[in-house]
Amino acid sequence: MTGPEAATAGEAAPRSGASGTSAPNIVLVHVDDLGWTDLGCYGSSFYETPRVDALAEESCQLFNAYAASPVCSPSRAALMTGRVPARVGITQWIGGTGVGALLDVPYHHALPVSEYALPRALRDGGYATWHVGKWHLGTGAHDPLAHGFEVNIAGGHIGSPRTYFAPWGIDHLPEAEPGTYLTDALTDHAIDLVRSHDGERPFFLHLAHYAVHTPLEAPPELVEKYEHKARKRGLTPESGLEEGEAHTKWGRRDERILRRTVQSHPTYAAMVENLDTNVGRLLDALEEQGVLDETLIVFTSDNGGLVTSEGSPTSCAPLTEGKGWTEEGGVRVPLIIRLPGGERAGTEPDVLAYGPDLYPTLLEAAGLPPIPRQHVDGTSLLPWLSDPEHPADRGPLVWHYPHYSNQGGRPSAAVRHGRFKLIRFFEDEHCELYDLEADIGEQHDLAAAEPAVVQQLRRELDEHLADAHALIPQRNPWPEPFA
């Protein structure tokens, strides 16, 4: 079964959490394509997100947090396994392909069942495990139930809905009254699970909203609100759109990249506000059930915002680029962690955080072995969340995206260690170096001025890629057709 009535499994007794108390419930709100600056608490002055902003005030808010990939499936695979996408073998969004000056790199089109995924580890540790929303890591023998979830609502092979208004035609999601908005419906299902929980086991809820991914659709009254707001500010949906260079991906070479530098799109803004309202509804349900302070809550996104294609609906400024790029706008994401009881509320831990870190973080919080059965690339964030004096340096973070993206990004890999970030572009093997503490927008390439730093980071990057058995794209021997 795939709905709330699915049979439960894993009856191990709940363990004590990291603090020595009963293991906490865990709620992971996993948003699709939400950019780093798409929330008021991360700097947006156009989008309105009062409920998530209030959550951040009660939580640890991380400003140097990253997804493991600039696109969805690799990022989600890394979060579910604690392993970087290259090690899992999923480096592209499942279904994605493309060639240019370089050939495409093969990848798994489903999360291998050999991976000891987070829900399986939590289920084996005594948790009830529920998935609601986007999966995009395989279907059938690779769906959420195959990886340890006991309930699967709306999780299958698709990466985005055909429409946000019912009927949706989404596998494992019951249809609703015509016109019902998808983000509302998914939250309804999540709330029903919370309200029906018997309390015998702690629960893990993975609420993976399809929002704010395209198609750009939102409740009309909210769209009208932001149309009015935009007009008052002298903005239009086209404000801040700048035409750039041609795509490097074959088949799209006649298109030019269209970048948005100002947040002004009313429909996207409405999608963000609706998402925020639904986060608030879930928090209210947890409080009504008396379990809010017994619950660890994580709010994050799978990659950066959609800045350069498909309507270019948002801007991640001051970050450069967005989804599909290894520049900061493509990989830096919001990360808010509310510890049980609101412990350490209002803090901003000084640590570089990374999607694979959530796997050992949540297992440690649950009182379970943080690295079970397999090599894990992530590091538990609990020491930084609980101790402001914990040393900030945790070693390098690496991204490997050896593909042409739909958004215009070129095959590349990147590494950040401390304040410096290096990007290696595979087409011509040139490297760019940025000091992110002084230049968060990656405007000043320091590669020529800092050869020693380039050498150090390139060595760290190459060692990581070799250790993860990362596939490097090869030169395309064929001439571009119809060029």
Side-chain angles (χ1 to χ4, degrees):
M1 293 182 180
T2 57
E5 73 281 7
T8 59
E11 299 297 332
R15 299 166 182 255
S16 295
S19 65
T21 59
S22 298
N25 305 310
I26 298 171
V27 172
L28 171 56
V29 180
H30 198 181
V31 187
D32 199 1
D33 287 2
L34 187 76
W36 187 61
T37 54
D38 282 353
L39 301 169
C41 55
Y42 280 88
S44 178
S45 62
F46 188 63
Y47 311 144
E48 297 179 22
T49 56
R51 296 306 305 266
V52 176
D53 296 348
L55 174 65
E57 293 177 359
E58 302 172 357
S59 306
C60 303
Q61 183 178 3
L62 287 77
F63 285 89
N64 282 286
Y66 293 89
S69 171
V71 295
C72 58
S73 300
S75 173
R76 292 165 186 271
L79 189 154
M80 284 292 154
T81 63
R83 291 148 63 82
V84 294
R87 202 180 304 280
V88 178
I90 300 176
T91 52
Q92 175 66 302
W93 63 272
I94 291 173
T97 186
V99 298
L102 301 176
L103 295 171
D104 206 4
V105 166
Y107 61 92
H108 293 318
H109 284 241
L111 184 64
V113 293
S114 57
E115 296 287 344
Y116 192 59
L118 176 64
R120 185 181 301 176
L122 289 170
R123 183 200 63 193
D124 291 351
Y127 274 72
T129 53
W130 312 324
H131 171 87
V132 180
K134 176 171 175 174
W135 179 243
H136 205 189
L137 291 172
T139 189
H142 301 274
D143 73 2
L145 300 180
H147 286 283
F149 284 109
E150 298 166 350
V151 172
N152 171 31
I153 299 172
H157 71 284
I158 66 167
S160 61
R162 176 183 55 82
T163 176
Y164 277 89
F165 293 101
W168 308 290
I170 296 175
D171 289 345
H172 313 302
L173 177 62
E175 289 293 354
E177 285 292 319
T180 301
Y181 195 65
L182 177 59
T183 310
D184 299 339
L186 294 177
T187 305
D188 288 343
H189 284 291
I191 290 172
D192 287 345
L193 287 166
V194 170
R195 288 175 174 167
S196 64
H197 184 53
D198 59 15
E200 291 186 6
R201 296 182 289 162
F203 63 78
F204 169 49
L205 167 63
H206 181 226
L207 177 54
H209 278 296
Y210 286 94
V212 289
H213 196 291
T214 55
L216 300 177
E217 297 177 350
E221 65 277 9
L222 278 181
V223 177
E224 291 175 8
K225 169 184 173 177
Y226 283 97
E227 287 173 342
H228 179 68
K229 184 174 184 176
R231 284 194 299 269
K232 288 182 65 175
R233 297 187 177 197
L235 298 172
T236 71
E238 290 72 39
S239 295
L241 286 176
E242 298 179 354
E243 188 175 272
E245 71 276 18
H247 274 263
T248 55
K249 180 178 178 180
W250 287 3
R252 301 189 64 179
R253 301 275 282 143
D254 59 340
E255 301 177 34
R256 304 198 75 83
I257 293 168
L258 195 64
R259 290 183 174 86
R260 184 178 295 273
T261 59
V262 175
Q263 293 179 346
S264 62
H265 197 297
T267 304
Y268 186 83
M271 294 179 77
V272 172
E273 181 175 332
N274 174 269
L275 169 74
D276 177 80
T277 298
N278 278 293
V279 171
R281 292 178 59 222
L282 177 61
L283 295 175
D284 291 344
L286 292 169
E287 187 167 28
E288 290 164 5
Q289 293 301 114
V291 297
L292 178 62
D293 282 338
E294 301 168 11
T295 302
L296 188 154
I297 299 169
V298 179
F299 178 96
T300 194
S301 177
D302 63 347
N303 47 250
L306 190 56
V307 173
T308 59
S309 73
E310 297 158 88
S312 305
T314 195
S315 169
C316 294
L319 306 185
T320 296
E321 311 300 9
K323 177 182 179 179
W325 303 72
T326 50
E327 283 83 353
E328 287 292 283
V331 291
R332 194 185 287 224
V333 294
L335 178 59
I336 298 168
I337 302 177
R338 187 187 192 276
L339 296 174
E343 184 182 347
R344 301 279 297 149
T347 58
E348 299 174 5
D350 182 21
V351 59
L352 297 182
Y354 193 37
D357 294 339
L358 291 178
Y359 184 97
T361 299
L362 298 182
L363 292 186
E364 184 177 352
L368 299 170
I371 307 177
R373 300 193 188 182
Q374 62 187 15
H375 173 91
V376 168
D377 295 295
T379 298
S380 174
L381 298 173
L382 287 184
W384 288 280
L385 301 182
S386 59
D387 180 7
E389 304 301 321
H390 195 77
D393 186 12
R394 48 79 51 87
L397 305 184
V398 173
W399 298 268
H400 179 57
Y401 186 60
H403 306 278
Y404 291 95
S405 77
N406 287 348
Q407 296 75 32
R410 292 173 288 161
S412 60
V415 55
R416 179 174 179 184
H417 196 163
R419 65 190 301 157
F420 288 105
K421 177 181 174 184
L422 178 135
I423 307 175
R424 172 189 172 190
F425 294 94
F426 291 121
E427 283 185 329
D428 59 8
E429 288 294 351
H430 89 277
C431 293
E432 297 176 5
L433 178 71
Y434 299 99
D435 178 351
L436 294 180
E437 292 186 8
D439 178 26
I440 195 172
E442 297 169 294
Q443 299 299 304
H444 306 289
D445 181 7
L446 302 176
E450 299 283 357
V453 179
V454 171
Q455 184 178 21
Q456 174 194 341
L457 291 184
R458 178 62 190 265
R459 181 175 63 253
E460 292 179 350
L461 175 60
D462 291 348
E463 288 175 352
H464 172 91
L465 295 179
D467 180 68
H469 303 288
L471 301 180
I472 307 301
Q474 302 300 304
R475 181 66 47 186
N476 190 344
W478 300 102
E480 182 175 358
F482 314 116

